Amino acid sequence: MPLLEVDRVSKRFGGLRAVSGASFSIGEKEIVFLVGPNGAGKTTLFNLITGFIHPDEGRIRFAGTDVTLITPNRAARLGIGRTFQIVKPLGSLTVLENVMLGAFLHTASRARAAHDAREVLAYLRMEAVAAATARDLPLAMLKRLEIARALATRPKLILLDEVVSGLSTAEAMALAALLQKLPERGVAAVGGVEHVMRVVVSIANRVVVLDHGAQIAEGEPHDVVRMPAVVEAYLGAKFRERHL
Amino acid sequence: MTRSHALAAAAFAGALLVPFVVRSDYTLQVLFRLFLFSALGLAWNLVGGYAGQLSLGHSAYFGAGAYGLALSTRLGLPAWPSVGVGILVAMLFALVIGGVSFRLRGPYFALATIACAEILRLSAKNLTGLTGGDVGAAVPALFSGQVVRSFYWSAVLLASLAAAATLAVTRSRFGYYLMAIREDEDTALSVGIDTAKTKLAALLISAALTAVAGSLYASLFLYIVPDQVFGLDISNEVAIVAMLGGVGTIAGPIVGALILETASELFKNVFLEAHLLIYGGLLVFVVLFLPDGIVGTIVRRRTLARRRAKPPRAPDHAAA
Ligand SMILES: Nc1ncnc2c1ncn2[C@@H]1O[C@H](COP(=O)(O)OP(=O)(O)O)[C@@H](O)[C@H]1O
Ligand SMILES: [Mg+2]
């Protein structure tokens, strides 16, 4: 039984089909990337899986439970962690406190939460900024903070929405090396990125390509980039961008 | 026991001894107001400061305490149990008002709280059979003998209770949940916080404390009308006390009450009914120049200074 099963899910915003008939599944400890140009529907899918919005059609199952109409806080309790593409730090709290809020999902003790938060911060190489106020962090660290806070909830699955976008190649590769260890921690991951980039090729088991809300390809990173539909989607997108 | 514990204990003991030194009933009444509004500011702070939900309708709970006491005694209940009824009614109002307004975020939430309090005020004015309407309702005396002194002590106790409750909250997971909701409600949801239930819990505690303050206030005056205890003035003053001192801090509302009560004492003969002008002016000043309030600004300056003295090590981006 797959960990996450997205089954013919669709979501409309007014007349716009943000996601139409997306179907894919994620196994335990797998790393899969959703790839698609800006507006392809990646963030919408993450919002659907975590219950921030609900689908018009289709079902979503997680670890054997139907989560189609779940609330966001219950999704987190079931073991679905998430980051936000537009980072959402708890700005006036410290980095440690931000991560403690994730850890509070499984303990009411402040000491225990701080201990667990420090372990996650160490994993993400963030110990040095533990005492900093979250809103003062540079973007690369804010992206890591999103991941740290979600990991502290001890999810079975973490959704990583554009966690490498806006980072330099060096920063992105450093983060990828850390994310590669997620399966060792027993965590599966679904990433969202705009292009099949080095990071994706280096850590993804599989790639699902979306365009205009529809799923156009699925496979190993190397194979997917050669598929005609994918090439067409990206060239088309580039063409439109250039001629807008 | 840390230094701030010792300081708090000394302040509490000092406050309890005041009536043995201050003999004037008038001065004691001013000090009663000071502690009453400290308690109110602290109670408001749980919702408006820590949870960041700007309630501008706390008179709903204040009025519930006042009328709860007045009306239950009329039904034959003794005075102190009637205070308990006021608390229960306020908590019931909180459940309904929270249920309605916590669905809304930002200014819409604030407007909804004002609307709810206004509905209660207008109901109290018009349900003349129950409340006496604008003619008012008699409130039983909670104390006999040295009355003003007893009211003063009750207000000190209530403020201390509110401060202790705030301290307990800030040291608990619940307190962290409130701050997370204030900072970003989506993030709070994403780490599994039931934000609706958490906000409601904070409002229930806040409403209960506010109702006791309403009962004390009503009983000191022995007579209440809807415009006074359910009015916008009370709602505004409670919020200003907390914002002036600094939301999300324990000392903030106490400092805010001290300044506001001193100012209104000093200026009341000069400006008479112009207190609204003073509130408005103070609020504009705070929002423009001290968005963290007085205590909040001091705390922030100190933290900044400490961090500058010991800068964090540069993050290790390349590490892998
Ligand atoms: N809440 C919303 N209301 C209306 N349109 C939305 C909303 N969220 C996303 N969209 C639209 O849905 C489409 C998919 O967006 P999104 O899921 O953010 O794509 P991606 O993350 O792949 O860039 C876009 O056209 C976007 O403008
Ligand atoms: Mg997106």
Side-chain angles (χ1 to χ4, degrees):
Chain A
M1 182 184 64
L3 181 61
L4 175 75
E5 229 183 316
V6 174
D7 183 11
R8 285 162 291 172
V9 165
S10 297
K11 180 70 187 176
R12 259 177 242 96
F13 293 114
L16 180 91
R17 295 173 74 87
V19 173
S20 51
S23 290
F24 57 87
S25 56
I26 315 290
E28 303 225 358
K29 303 183 191 180
E30 214 184 354
I31 298 184
V32 174
F33 271 82
L34 302 180
V35 183
N38 190 18
K42 305 177 296 287
T43 299
T44 303
L45 261 171
F46 289 151
N47 285 336
L48 288 165
I49 295 167
T50 47
F52 276 83
I53 53 178
H54 297 133
D56 301 323
E57 288 156 34
R59 322 278 334 156
I60 304 170
R61 279 176 289 275
F62 178 76
T65 313
D66 189 307
V67 296
T68 312
L69 298 174
I70 203 167
T71 56
N73 55 303
R74 282 206 47 232
R77 280 172 193 281
L78 274 183
I80 310 178
R82 73 165 295 172
T83 68
F84 292 98
Q85 175 175 357
I86 316 271
V87 292
K88 287 175 173 286
L90 307 170
S92 72
L93 306 190
T94 67
V95 167
L96 180 70
E97 287 171 328
N98 267 264
V99 183
M100 281 168 72
L101 271 148
F104 275 135
L105 186 61
H106 47 80
T107 175
S109 144
R110 280 193 307 165
R112 180 88 227 154
H115 175 270
D116 294 353
R118 279 186 200 285
E119 189 277 320
V120 175
L121 287 174
Y123 165 56
L124 286 169
R125 307 277 154 92
M126 295 181 75
E127 304 105 311
V129 292
T133 305
R135 73 161 66 87
D136 298 337
L137 292 182
L139 183 69
M141 280 292 131
L142 283 172
K143 294 278 188 185
R144 278 194 198 189
L145 179 57
E146 291 287 313
I147 304 169
R149 192 181 56 223
L151 279 183
T153 65
R154 295 195 186 148
K156 296 193 196 83
L157 170 71
I158 185 169
L159 308 181
L160 305 165
D161 198 357
E162 310 271 1
V163 285
V164 292
S165 67
L167 305 193
S168 70
T169 310
E171 285 168 342
M173 291 313 288
L175 184 55
L178 297 175
L179 295 180
Q180 201 154 25
K181 293 184 205 145
L182 283 175
E184 288 168 31
R185 295 175 68 96
V187 183
V190 183
V193 287
E194 289 191 3
H195 305 280
V196 177
M197 40 178 90
R198 245 174 88 194
V199 168
V200 177
V201 177
S202 67
I203 67 172
N205 303 115
R206 239 170 349 115
V207 166
V208 174
V209 185
L210 298 171
D211 186 35
H212 287 96
Q215 189 172 328
I216 58 169
E218 178 171 353
E220 295 201 3
H222 285 289
D223 303 333
V224 155
V225 287
R226 289 190 204 93
M227 294 182 185
V230 177
V231 175
E232 156 66 26
Y234 275 91
L235 286 181
K238 283 232 177 72
F239 183 80
R240 275 194 302 279
E241 263 166 39
R242 219 176 285 146
H243 293 267
L244 265 178
Chain B
M1 198 153 104
T2 66
R3 216 180 66 189
S4 58
H5 281 142
L7 211 67
F12 181 59
L16 288 180
L17 292 177
V18 163
F20 298 110
V21 183
V22 174
R23 296 281 167 183
S24 138
D25 270 1
Y26 179 79
T27 312
L28 272 184
Q29 255 191 58
V30 172
L31 292 174
F32 163 79
R33 272 186 70 91
L34 168 66
F35 282 101
L36 193 80
F37 275 93
S38 296
L40 285 165
L42 283 160
W44 184 89
N45 200 29
L46 287 172
V47 175
Y50 287 99
Q53 308 296 310
L54 191 72
S55 163
L56 292 176
H58 256 53
S59 66
Y61 319 117
F62 189 86
Y67 274 97
L69 171 60
L71 303 185
S72 327
T73 38
R74 205 199 284 166
L75 293 175
L77 219 60
W80 281 102
S82 300
V83 174
V85 172
I87 294 174
L88 290 179
V89 173
M91 290 172 85
L92 189 71
F93 286 176
L95 276 179
V96 176
I97 295 174
V100 173
S101 53
F102 280 142
R103 291 162 200 272
L104 306 167
R105 295 190 187 183
Y108 300 103
F109 169 78
L111 286 174
T113 59
I114 296 175
C116 290
E118 280 294 275
I119 289 170
L120 287 172
R121 182 178 68 88
L122 294 172
S123 305
K125 275 166 92 82
N126 290 299
L127 295 172
T128 45
L130 181 69
T131 62
D134 279 330
V135 177
V139 186
L142 286 169
F143 303 104
S144 53
Q146 299 261 23
V147 175
V148 180
R149 216 182 236 214
S150 306
F151 274 105
Y152 168 83
W153 276 321
S154 322
V156 170
L157 282 176
L158 184 63
S160 310
L161 180 68
T166 307
L167 191 68
V169 165
T170 58
R171 293 186 170 178
S172 68
R173 172 166 74 174
F174 176 61
Y176 277 84
Y177 280 3
L178 295 181
M179 291 191 288
I181 289 169
R182 173 189 70 205
E183 296 297 314
D184 197 306
E185 200 161 337
D186 286 338
T187 300
L189 286 166
S190 80
V191 292
I193 299 172
D194 186 337
T195 56
K197 219 165 84 186
T198 307
K199 286 190 279 190
L200 209 52
L203 187 62
L204 286 172
I205 301 171
S206 182
L209 289 166
T210 304
V212 178
S215 295
L216 288 177
Y217 179 92
S219 178
L220 179 70
F221 288 102
L222 296 173
Y223 207 77
I224 47 172
V225 293
D227 286 346
Q228 176 195 14
V229 295
F230 276 120
L232 289 172
D233 270 11
I234 289 287
S235 295
N236 290 338
E237 192 168 343
V238 167
I240 290 169
V241 155
M243 289 203 269
L244 183 64
V247 295
T249 63
I250 296 182
I254 300 169
V255 171
L258 188 65
I259 294 171
L260 201 69
E261 290 309 316
T262 311
S264 74
E265 246 337 274
L266 288 178
F267 294 130
K268 101 178 153 197
N269 297 322
V270 188
F271 292 125
L272 297 170
E273 286 298 299
H275 58 283
L276 278 180
L277 206 66
I278 300 178
Y279 290 175
L282 272 174
L283 195 60
V284 170
F285 175 80
V286 168
V287 168
L288 286 181
F289 301 108
L290 294 172
D292 294 321
I294 293 166
V295 175
T297 305
I298 295 171
V299 170
R300 175 181 282 261
R301 290 252 165 91
R302 265 215 230 135
T303 330
L304 273 182
R306 211 184 312 132
R307 296 230 172 105
R308 271 205 206 98
K310 193 180 140 234
R313 211 152 42 85
D316 189 2
H317 293 318

